[in-house]
Amino acid sequence: DWSSDVCSSDLMEIYDRWGQLLFTTTDINKGWDGKIKSEYAKEGSYVYKIRYCTLDGIVNDKIGSVLLLKN
């Protein structure tokens, strides 16, 4: 589990499938609420990038995807 060695998170970004930046924050306590300009995003796959620091002081980027579903 990569998150067990994290001491801080410096940046989180969310992108659409075309690479357009939709959300960014440097506040570790603020997550993406699934909205783009105050309206909920369409269902689908979105890419995230998180920049974090490990307990050893090493800065890393974690890139992955999240599937947004509506209920």
Side-chain angles (χ1 to χ4, degrees):
D1 181 19
W2 67 272
S3 63
S4 63
D5 295 332
V6 173
C7 66
S8 71
S9 175
D10 301 324
L11 177 69
M12 182 177 75
E13 298 173 330
I14 304 289
Y15 296 87
D16 66 15
R17 68 172 122 179
W18 297 280
Q20 179 180 353
L21 181 63
L22 305 175
F23 174 81
T24 185
T25 184
T26 57
D27 182 350
I28 193 171
N29 296 308
K30 183 178 179 187
W32 183 45
D33 61 4
K35 292 182 179 180
I36 303 170
K37 298 181 181 176
S38 74
E39 294 200 19
Y40 284 104
K42 293 180 182 179
E43 286 187 344
S45 184
Y46 293 84
V47 175
Y48 66 82
K49 178 180 176 183
I50 300 172
R51 177 162 291 145
Y52 64 95
C53 178
T54 66
L55 296 173
D56 298 332
I58 299 169
V59 176
N60 289 305
D61 288 332
K62 177 75 174 173
I63 299 172
S65 63
V66 60
L67 182 60
L68 183 63
L69 300 173
K70 296 181 182 177
N71 57 6

